[in-house]
Amino acid sequence: MNAMRVIRGKSGTNQEGTSAHNRRVMVDALRLNGKLSRADLARASGLTKQAVSNIIDDMEKEGLVVSLAAVRNGRGQPSTPYRLVPEGAFAIGLQIDRHITRVIAVNLIGTVLVRAEANLPPGGPANGARVILDLIQQVRTELAGIAEHSEQRLVGLCVAMPGPFGLAPDNGDQWMIDDQWMMAAWQNFPLLETLAAGTGLEVALQNDAAACATAERMVGAAHGIDHAVCLYVGYGIGAGLILNGELYTGGNGNAGEIGMALLPPTVRRPEQSSLEHRASLASLYQHLNADPADPDLHERLTLLVRKNDPAIASWIDAAAEELRWGVQLIETIFDPQTVILCSGAPEALTRRIFDAIHPLLPSIADRPGRTLPRLQLGMTDPWSVALGAAAEPISRAFDPRFSAILKTHAKAAG
């Protein structure tokens, strides 16, 4: 291997009781760098060569890594690089939104293998749960036809849906039930229990912004970045927080609900309202009097943007003004290396929003020596939330999490 090569990776630990963490460090380093020798892995992780060799031997037996042809560098001994085996693990991601559900299956490195979508029927979760379970089974059947041992290597299922979570009213606050930006019926339904019983998989829950951040971290603009915030413009607005290389969800899973931040009245909007009421796709649909369940809506929005339609242009200008403030707020509070704008909206629309947000407001992030832009464009794909949901079980099973080390030592001390 080239001695001058920069190898990205997290540190392992040679303390006892941390072998699971060190395995995750190996997976993370191979995902970030593509292929590495045992010596490279030892340098990247800080582990002893013997510790690395033991872990790699075990992972090779389990079908998680594979050796490649030996490489000779200079006069030294040839080194054998290793890479991840994509078929070493699989996961399912599920997105539930107001009118539609999407399911994606990915492999260990985040490649999408199968995807399917269906409209949600009227009647809420009582009727929608059966549609979702059938769609998941359809994806699993197709996946089994592609990868023979996929069922034995499924590490879990994650659901992504709009937050905030846990705010269901019990004191007559009917506005929470009726508010179009919330999904109180689904949140009050025993969704995770229903899915776990119907699929036999371990099930987790994320909000849609966190899922988009997970996708960006695994295969997108946040790949290899330790501190990034994904500003997600969907039916609502949220921020997915990647802090110290890990997704931060908060005490109740509601971290990053920036769309609920209240904004003061303006000349355009004389009433006080939240950010998402002014700059989300829901506000655009209301502005255009469009039906969000219209299957041709994406194509219609793209056409309006390309025609520079006055109605959509005026909304973009107004929304960008609010989102510009949102970017400055994120930078001030979280000090990320970069903010990533991502959305389920058509790419043409998201790019127009991105361009209109500039120039950015002055902030602590506006300093010399930056290696990343303050704001960059991320995923603009309606499937990105489902992709992030699918990436979450892979992350949960294989990514280094220093909180796990703390729990390990706490148990040992007890």
Side-chain angles (χ1 to χ4, degrees):
M1 298 287 171
N2 188 343
M4 299 300 294
R5 180 185 176 192
V6 176
I7 302 171
R8 297 184 293 171
K10 292 184 171 62
S11 297
T13 173
N14 291 299
Q15 299 179 37
E16 293 185 14
T18 55
S19 59
H21 169 73
N22 291 337
R23 281 170 57 94
R24 291 168 177 259
V25 168
M26 297 296 103
V27 173
D28 186 62
L30 290 170
R31 180 181 293 131
L32 286 172
N33 298 279
K35 56 185 179 181
L36 293 172
S37 69
R38 298 186 186 209
D40 287 334
L41 286 165
R43 284 195 295 272
S45 64
L47 295 172
T48 66
K49 291 182 179 179
Q50 186 58 53
V52 169
S53 292
N54 292 341
I55 293 169
I56 290 298
D57 286 343
D58 289 342
M59 292 174 64
E60 193 169 16
K61 292 174 185 176
E62 295 169 22
L64 293 174
V65 301
V66 64
S67 61
L68 304 176
V71 177
R72 180 179 294 276
N73 289 301
R75 299 178 181 178
Q77 292 294 320
S79 60
T80 301
Y82 290 82
R83 66 165 175 82
L84 293 175
V85 177
E87 298 79 18
F90 302 91
I92 304 291
L94 165 66
Q95 178 191 12
I96 301 175
D97 215 330
R98 278 78 182 173
H99 311 285
I100 197 167
T101 182
R102 297 183 177 96
V103 179
I104 274 183
V106 301
N107 60 21
L108 178 58
I109 62 174
T111 303
V112 176
L113 301 176
V114 183
R115 64 183 190 178
E117 65 180 355
N119 292 326
L120 288 172
N127 295 332
R130 175 43 53 191
V131 172
I132 290 170
L133 286 170
D134 289 345
L135 199 64
I136 293 172
Q137 185 54 52
Q138 174 189 327
V139 167
R140 290 175 73 170
T141 300
E142 290 186 38
L143 178 62
I146 297 172
E148 182 180 355
H149 302 292
S150 61
E151 281 295 307
Q152 290 76 32
R153 291 181 175 269
L154 272 176
V155 295
L157 164 71
C158 181
V159 186
M161 61 188 292
F165 302 131
L167 301 185
D170 56 8
N171 57 358
D173 291 330
Q174 185 64 35
W175 70 272
M176 278 190 174
I177 298 176
D178 295 336
D179 189 279
Q180 63 178 325
W181 282 272
M182 298 187 183
M183 295 180 67
W186 282 95
Q187 293 180 14
N188 292 325
F189 180 75
L191 179 62
L192 301 190
E193 296 84 352
T194 300
L195 292 174
T199 64
L201 298 173
E202 182 179 350
V203 184
L205 175 68
Q206 282 186 327
N207 65 42
D208 46 10
C212 215
T214 304
E216 294 284 1
R217 180 176 179 271
M218 190 172 194
V219 295
H223 187 63
I225 297 177
D226 287 331
H227 308 281
V229 176
C230 296
L231 180 58
Y232 176 70
V233 179
Y235 201 90
I237 292 177
L241 312 177
I242 300 170
L243 307 178
N244 291 318
E246 297 185 18
L247 188 72
Y248 178 75
T249 58
N252 301 288
N254 290 326
E257 285 290 348
I258 191 174
M260 298 192 71
L262 292 176
L263 303 179
T266 65
V267 174
R268 286 185 194 176
R269 295 179 175 87
E271 76 287 350
Q272 185 181 56
S273 57
S274 66
L275 174 61
E276 64 184 14
H277 283 208
R278 297 185 183 184
S280 67
L281 296 185
S283 71
L284 172 62
Y285 302 152
Q286 186 177 29
H287 180 73
L288 297 177
N289 195 27
D291 179 5
D294 179 0
D296 299 321
L297 184 56
H298 261 59
E299 290 74 13
R300 178 186 168 194
L301 292 176
T302 299
L303 181 61
L304 290 174
V305 170
R306 289 174 177 169
K307 291 171 56 179
N308 200 27
D309 178 80
I312 202 167
S314 65
W315 178 86
I316 289 172
D317 289 341
E321 182 179 342
E322 311 294 5
L323 292 170
R324 186 180 302 120
W325 167 86
V327 170
Q328 201 267 358
L329 181 67
I330 288 170
E331 291 177 326
T332 303
I333 295 174
F334 296 108
D335 188 27
Q337 292 168 268
T338 187
V339 178
I340 301 168
L341 179 68
C342 42
S343 176
E347 182 178 358
L349 173 58
T350 309
R351 284 189 177 278
R352 281 287 300 275
I353 297 171
F354 176 83
D355 291 341
I357 292 175
H358 291 83
L360 299 176
L361 296 173
S363 84
I364 60 172
D366 191 12
R367 59 185 181 274
R370 291 190 61 92
T371 58
L372 294 170
R374 288 174 56 189
L375 179 67
Q376 57 182 307
L377 191 63
M379 295 184 181
T380 59
D381 186 338
W383 290 88
S384 58
V385 171
L387 172 59
E392 194 281 337
I394 298 290
S395 174
R396 187 173 2 123
F398 295 104
D399 285 357
R401 297 190 178 184
F402 290 99
S403 56
I405 297 180
L406 298 177
K407 291 179 182 178
T408 298
H409 286 304
K411 290 179 182 177

